[in-house]
């Protein structure tokens, strides 16, 4: 944080905020669920993104993470939609002209319907299809991107969707988990290559969810295994960190989702990644905290945890709080409130939560030190 280039910001993902993403597998599944568990208009950010960007700028952010909705860009197999590209171009231009760097995720849990009908990530053709979509996006949007994130949390996706079966396509099949992980690794590697062919200098990574204090076997499988599959094809490491494994840590404070809060875990994870000798970015870290009583401390303590890792030689270059605004929180619906900014899902009104100003002060302080 010392040299003033450290990036501070927040993120969202397409399906969680845009609204109306009716051409993907989540939407289809949500139709089978009771009313409050459907994304519907979400936070209507497809129309209101301008407001969100203004608020992020007012809060002093210097970076912003979004994801692109594959099902809007490639509406049917091989059919690309220039209007969606125009939309994302405007959004990215707006982020940049507000003085923020752009982190752009290509896959954040949702799949176009046509892809899921072909077997989704279980199919060995999907990595190539993902690379083709990636190429199109890179050619049309690459000029507005500072960091690419190919896939968000491949292990979480595979386990929730094919292991526990609680996300679409709701399978419980260990063999499918392996296939999906393998295909996502291939998808990442192919996308890495394509992104560098089109724009050699834009750094490419993926966002890896880490859990602190796992048993050695689970640590290997959940936290490390994917790295061995991608042969180090990443220019930075994206770290998503939320909690420690409850089994191994005594009494810890918890979030509204009962996730144990353990900032030291972030230091431990960052230190464990030092050996890869890549820049590290915390691409997600946040808390479900509807009454905003723990968020300020949560942010403060996790930023201190990053500083501690830096003191011990880790090259950490950014922190993106999750999430900028309240979102559709996947299978949990709208109950968990992660946002720095509250959203009233009836009126779509945005209200800045007090903890956002604490985060703002931290950002200003870090920039003043320079
Ligand atoms: C996901 C986000 C989600 C957050 C909180 C992360 O694993 O990338 O989409 O909102 O967790 O559950």
């Amino acid at each position: 944080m010392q040299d003033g280039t450290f990036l501070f910001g927040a993120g969202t993902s397409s399906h969680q905020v845009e609204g109306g993403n009716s051409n993907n597998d989540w939407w289809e599944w949500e139709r089978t669920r009771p009313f409050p568990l459907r994304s519907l208009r979400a936070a209507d950010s497809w129309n209101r993104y301008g407001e969100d960007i203004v608020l992020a700028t007012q809060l002093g952010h210097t970076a912003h993470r979004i994801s692109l909705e594959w099902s809007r860009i490639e509406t049917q197999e091989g059919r690309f939609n220039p209007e969606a590209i125009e939309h994302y171009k405007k959004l990215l231009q707006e982020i940049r002209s507000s003085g923020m760097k752009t982190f752009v995720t290509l896959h954040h849990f949702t799949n176009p319907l046509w892809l899921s009908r072909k077997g989704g990530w279980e199919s060995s053709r999907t990595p190539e299809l993902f690379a083709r979509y990636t190429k199109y996006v890179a050619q049309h949007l690459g000029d507005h991107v500072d960091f690419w994130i190919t896939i968000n949390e491949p292990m979480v996706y595979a386990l929730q969707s094919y292991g526990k079966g609680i996300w679409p396509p709701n399978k419980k099949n260990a063999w499918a988990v392996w296939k999906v992980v393998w295909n996502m690794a291939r998808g990442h590697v192919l996308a890495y290559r394509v992104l560098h062919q089109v724009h050699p200098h834009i750094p490419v990574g993926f966002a890896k969810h880490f859990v602190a204090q796992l048993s050695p076997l689970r640590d290997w499988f959940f936290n490390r295994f994917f790295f061995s599959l991608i042969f180090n094809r990443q220019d930075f490491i994206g770290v998503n960190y939320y909690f420690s494994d409850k089994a191994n840590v005594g009494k810890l404070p918890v979030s509204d989702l009962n996730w144990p809060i353990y900032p030291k875990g972030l230091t431990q994870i960052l230190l464990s990644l030092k050996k890869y000798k890549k820049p590290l970015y915390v691409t997600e870290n946040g808390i479900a905290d509807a009454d905003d009583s723990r968020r300020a401390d949560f942010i403060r303590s996790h930023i201190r945890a990053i500083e501690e890792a830096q003191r011990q030689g880790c090259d950490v270059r950014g922190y993106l709080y999750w999430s900028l605004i309240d979102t559709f929180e996947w299978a949990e619906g709208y109950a968990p409130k992660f946002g720095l900014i509250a959203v009233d899902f009836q009126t779509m009104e945005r209200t800045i939560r007090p903890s956002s100003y604490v985060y703002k002060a931290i950002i200003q302080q870090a920039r003043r030190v320079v």
Side-chain angles (χ1 to χ4, degrees), residues 16 108-109 152-153 209 242 259 284 322 329-330 338:
Q16 292 181 272
H108 198 122
F109 299 155
N152 184 66
E153 301 186 345
H209 187 114
Y242 288 89
W259 294 357
E284 279 182 35
W322 187 270
E329 187 45 43
W330 305 113
F338 277 88

Side-chain angles (χ1 to χ4, degrees), residues 3 23 35-36 61 108 113-114 129 169 176-177 202 210-211 218 232 235 248 253 264 268 276 303 307 325 330 332-333:
D3 69 355
N23 191 29
F35 179 73
H61 296 191
H108 198 122
L113 270 181
W114 60 263
L129 295 172
V177 171
I202 305 176
F210 287 91
V211 176
R218 291 175 66 217
N232 221 3
D235 306 318
N248 291 310
K264 260 194 195 151
Q268 291 162 0
Y276 293 105
I303 289 176
E307 286 167 343
I325 59 176
W330 305 113
E332 310 286 340

Side-chain angles (χ1 to χ4, degrees), residues 77 114-115 118 120-132 183 186 190:
E77 186 175 354
W114 60 263
L115 188 81
K118 284 173 163 289
W121 287 93
E122 270 184 280
S123 159
S124 56
R125 269 199 73 213
T126 294
E128 272 90 25
L129 295 172
F130 179 62
R132 185 178 62 178
N183 285 332
R186 269 193 61 221
L190 295 180

Side-chain angles (χ1 to χ4, degrees), residues 65 105 107-109 149-154 157 206-207 240 284:
R65 178 180 172 205
T105 310
H107 186 277
H108 198 122
F109 299 155
I149 294 176
T150 56
I151 297 177
N152 184 66
E153 301 186 345
Y157 174 77
F206 73 103
N240 290 3
E284 279 182 35

Side-chain angles (χ1 to χ4, degrees), residues 82-134:
E83 278 167 30
I85 289 291
E86 263 322 292
H87 170 92
Y88 287 121
K89 197 179 284 173
K90 278 202 216 122
L91 165 56
L92 291 168
Q93 279 169 339
E94 200 142 327
I95 300 172
R96 271 202 173 157
S97 64
S98 309
M100 295 186 279
K101 299 278 185 206
T102 54
F103 284 76
V104 177
T105 310
L106 292 158
H107 186 277
H108 198 122
F109 299 155
T110 55
N111 297 303
L113 270 181
W114 60 263
L115 188 81
S116 66
R117 301 228 160 96
K118 284 173 163 289
W121 287 93
E122 270 184 280
S123 159
S124 56
R125 269 199 73 213
T126 294
E128 272 90 25
L129 295 172
F130 179 62
R132 185 178 62 178
Y133 148 72
T134 298

Side-chain angles (χ1 to χ4, degrees), residues 153 208-213 223 238-245 249 252 259-270 281-287 298 302 305 319-320 322:
E153 301 186 345
K208 177 77 195 75
H209 187 114
F210 287 91
V211 176
Q213 309 234 323
N223 285 341
V239 175
N240 290 3
Y241 175 69
Y242 288 89
F243 53 82
S244 150
D245 184 36
V249 192
L252 291 174
W259 294 357
I261 302 169
Y262 187 59
K264 260 194 195 151
L266 181 55
T267 312
Q268 291 162 0
I269 283 157
L270 294 169
Y281 290 87
V282 176
T283 38
E284 279 182 35
N285 173 244
I287 179 169
F298 182 95
H302 284 82
Y319 174 83
L320 300 174
W322 187 270

Side-chain angles (χ1 to χ4, degrees), residues 101-275:
K101 299 278 185 206
T102 54
F103 284 76
V104 177
T105 310
L106 292 158
H107 186 277
H108 198 122
F109 299 155
T110 55
N111 297 303
L113 270 181
W114 60 263
L115 188 81
S116 66
R117 301 228 160 96
K118 284 173 163 289
W121 287 93
E122 270 184 280
S123 159
S124 56
R125 269 199 73 213
T126 294
E128 272 90 25
L129 295 172
F130 179 62
R132 185 178 62 178
Y133 148 72
T134 298
K135 187 172 180 186
Y136 182 84
V137 164
Q139 286 168 335
H140 291 83
L141 295 175
D143 288 340
H144 311 283
V145 175
D146 295 299
F147 297 88
W148 292 114
I149 294 176
T150 56
I151 297 177
N152 184 66
E153 301 186 345
M155 296 304 292
V156 171
Y157 174 77
L159 289 167
Q160 299 285 82
S161 304
Y162 295 87
K164 292 189 198 156
I166 56 172
W167 289 0
N170 311 95
K171 292 202 177 168
K172 283 189 184 188
N173 179 331
W175 174 233
V177 171
W178 288 106
K179 272 203 292 195
V180 167
V181 170
W182 174 253
N183 285 332
M184 285 197 142
R186 269 193 61 221
H188 168 81
V189 169
L190 295 180
Y192 181 87
R193 195 181 301 152
V194 163
L195 290 168
H196 277 300
Q197 275 162 3
V198 182
H199 288 281
H201 303 300
I202 305 176
V204 180
F206 73 103
K208 177 77 195 75
H209 187 114
F210 287 91
V211 176
Q213 309 234 323
L214 287 174
S215 66
L217 183 63
R218 291 175 66 217
D219 179 61
W220 170 80
F221 177 64
F222 187 78
N223 285 341
R224 317 272 149 208
F225 177 58
F226 202 81
F227 282 99
S228 62
L229 297 178
I230 61 158
F231 307 111
N232 221 3
R233 291 222 173 56
Q234 50 184 341
D235 306 318
F236 65 91
I237 300 180
V239 175
N240 290 3
Y241 175 69
Y242 288 89
F243 53 82
S244 150
D245 184 36
K246 336 184 199 329
N248 291 310
V249 192
K251 271 231 154 303
L252 291 174
V254 293
S255 75
D256 291 349
L257 284 169
N258 251 336
W259 294 357
I261 302 169
Y262 187 59
K264 260 194 195 151
L266 181 55
T267 312
Q268 291 162 0
I269 283 157
L270 294 169
L271 287 172
S272 76
L273 298 169
K274 215 168 116 179
K275 63 176 183 219

